Amino acid sequence: MTETTLEAAFRIQSKACANLDSPFMERFCALLADNLPHEGPVWKKIRDWEGDVSPYGDSVPLRLAGAFHGLARTGRIPELNAVYPPHDGKASDQAVLNAVEAVAAKEAEYILARLESAPQTNEVRRAGVLLPGFFEVAHRTGLSELVTSELGASAGLNLYWDHFRYKLGDLTWGDGSSDVVLEPDIQGQLPAAAELTVRARAACDLNPVDIHQREEREKLLSYLWPDQMARIKKTEAAISFAARQSEKIVQSDAIDWLSKRLAEQHEGAVHVVYHTIAWQYFPEEKQKSGEALLKEAGSRATKTSPLAWLRLEADQDKPGAALSLTVWPEGETRILARGDFHGRWIKWM
């Protein structure tokens, strides 16, 4: 991996963090883009990385940032905590770089292990973009009872989207007592609210996060950005709720699992397959297989047992990602909205 390519990956990530309101992460990535060290096992590992280091591939900058945030969250490394939020505003660029280089040498074993894992944020605010999509499913099918199947669910926090509290402009919806409150900015006219009931729910992930283990919870939280405390607190609240539920996230290839889920019919309910910023990480052949499976299952769907595919995924357009919906038996696909990658806003189409 050439230095230029690695530098570019950090610059791309820095710009993305700026666009997503994280000044600290913008600075962290920009500093490393300009001053990436050469000596030491951590720096050798990322310089010799086999594969795409960019945010569109293996996301090496976010892997590294997650490792450092994980160490900062322990509170046991004074030199790191001195330059991390909330103290980062008082730290010079050189102080940040000195701390990063010193900690990389001291904690190399921890950081190298963390570099092996792809980032998993399980962004709960994306549920605020999904909710109007679920309303649209109910309006298009005439059914308010849902069976849900989430692909790439990570820790399964958004499996419980219907237990969150939403404020969508003048509309309030969901559990009024929930500690997870989602308030995306709204552009355009959202569909009317619907009374929705989840008959049954299930989810899978290739490497699910076990939130019952403290180490796994901390790993998940470390991928969130250290200057975004409101985002971290929402995730902590969602973890607390999900940890009390009975559903288990199935460890499985998403398409293999989906084939079994689609074999079932659910009379009187809509089966909604959904995912958020996950499809891009599936190999191309798996994407094709998944589309074929959904289309085949759609051919068996009926008015009283319809199938819906709701997804928030990156496409070739901007801003944000596309919220798309396909409903069978008709099989019509529409882009309903564009949504922020972190769920901060919805632009309804």
Side-chain angles (χ1 to χ4, degrees):
M1 179 57 60
T2 66
E3 183 176 352
T4 301
T5 303
L6 191 56
E7 287 176 348
F10 277 97
R11 291 192 188 286
I12 292 167
Q13 190 61 63
S14 177
K15 184 177 180 180
C17 292
N19 291 336
L20 291 165
D21 293 334
S22 179
F24 175 79
M25 281 290 291
E26 176 190 6
R27 182 189 189 196
F28 177 91
C29 292
L31 285 173
L32 285 175
D34 290 336
N35 305 277
L36 199 66
H38 285 266
E39 302 298 326
V42 169
W43 312 115
K44 184 178 188 306
K45 173 70 174 178
I46 64 174
R47 286 183 178 280
D48 295 340
W49 194 271
E50 295 183 3
D52 183 359
V53 297
S54 79
Y56 312 111
D58 295 336
S59 296
V60 170
L62 288 185
R63 293 182 189 224
L64 186 69
F68 276 98
H69 188 203
L71 289 167
R73 283 181 60 84
T74 68
R76 63 177 175 81
I77 305 178
E79 62 263 49
L80 199 59
N81 293 113
V83 300
Y84 260 65
H87 308 296
D88 55 307
K90 301 175 182 178
S92 67
D93 288 353
Q94 193 57 53
V96 175
L97 288 167
N98 289 345
V100 166
E101 197 160 358
V103 171
K106 185 188 301 183
E107 301 287 343
E109 183 178 356
Y110 172 91
I111 296 171
L112 288 169
R114 286 293 306 271
L115 285 171
E116 297 299 320
S117 300
Q120 288 183 295
T121 58
N122 209 171
E123 180 59 68
V124 294
R125 292 183 299 178
R126 291 175 186 156
V129 181
L130 286 176
L131 180 65
F134 284 114
F135 292 162
E136 188 72 12
V137 168
H139 296 320
R140 287 181 60 181
T141 63
L143 296 172
S144 60
E145 194 164 354
L146 314 178
V147 172
T148 64
S149 299
E150 185 181 5
L151 309 181
S154 188
L157 305 186
N158 285 331
L159 186 61
Y160 302 104
W161 58 271
D162 54 317
H163 290 275
F164 301 158
R165 179 159 43 120
Y166 298 85
K167 296 179 181 178
L168 306 178
D170 296 332
L171 170 68
T172 58
W173 193 92
D175 183 351
S177 65
S178 176
D179 292 327
V180 183
V181 183
L182 305 180
E183 305 176 80
D185 292 333
I186 307 297
Q187 299 178 49
Q189 183 64 48
L190 297 182
E195 293 294 328
L196 302 174
T197 302
V198 178
R199 179 190 293 181
R201 70 189 84 221
C204 76
D205 194 275
L206 194 60
N207 296 293
V209 177
D210 185 356
I211 54 177
H212 298 93
Q213 297 185 32
R214 183 179 183 279
E215 182 178 344
E216 289 285 285
R217 292 196 304 273
E218 278 299 312
K219 187 175 181 180
L220 183 69
L221 291 166
S222 74
Y223 288 121
L224 304 178
W225 298 342
D227 55 349
Q228 296 187 334
M229 282 308 301
R231 184 183 175 205
I232 291 171
K233 289 186 180 299
K234 287 182 193 295
T235 306
E236 289 175 331
I239 288 172
S240 178
F241 179 86
R244 300 193 300 271
Q245 309 311 307
S246 60
E247 288 85 3
K248 302 294 182 185
I249 309 306
V250 178
Q251 183 170 13
S252 174
D253 171 86
I255 307 308
D256 292 345
W257 181 80
L258 181 61
S259 67
K260 298 173 185 175
R261 292 287 293 175
L262 292 175
E264 304 174 18
Q265 294 289 110
H266 305 281
E267 190 65 28
V270 191
H271 184 186
V272 185
V273 176
Y274 70 101
H275 47 86
T276 60
I277 320 301
W279 196 259
Q280 70 187 61
Y281 298 111
F282 299 168
E284 185 178 355
E285 64 273 14
K286 289 291 184 179
Q287 293 179 12
K288 291 179 180 177
S289 295
E291 290 171 5
L293 276 171
L294 285 157
K295 186 175 181 180
E296 192 279 328
S299 70
R300 294 182 277 107
T302 67
K303 290 287 187 182
T304 57
S305 182
L307 173 67
W309 182 20
L310 180 66
R311 62 272 194 197
L312 177 68
E313 296 290 347
D315 58 4
Q316 301 303 312
D317 292 331
K318 293 181 179 180
L323 180 69
S324 303
L325 175 65
T326 309
V327 177
W328 289 276
E330 292 84 1
E332 180 185 4
T333 297
R334 295 181 189 172
I335 295 180
L336 304 178
R338 301 206 67 82
D340 178 61
F341 284 98
H342 286 182
R344 298 172 302 165
W345 52 262
I346 308 168
K347 182 179 180 181
W348 198 259
M349 311 289 278

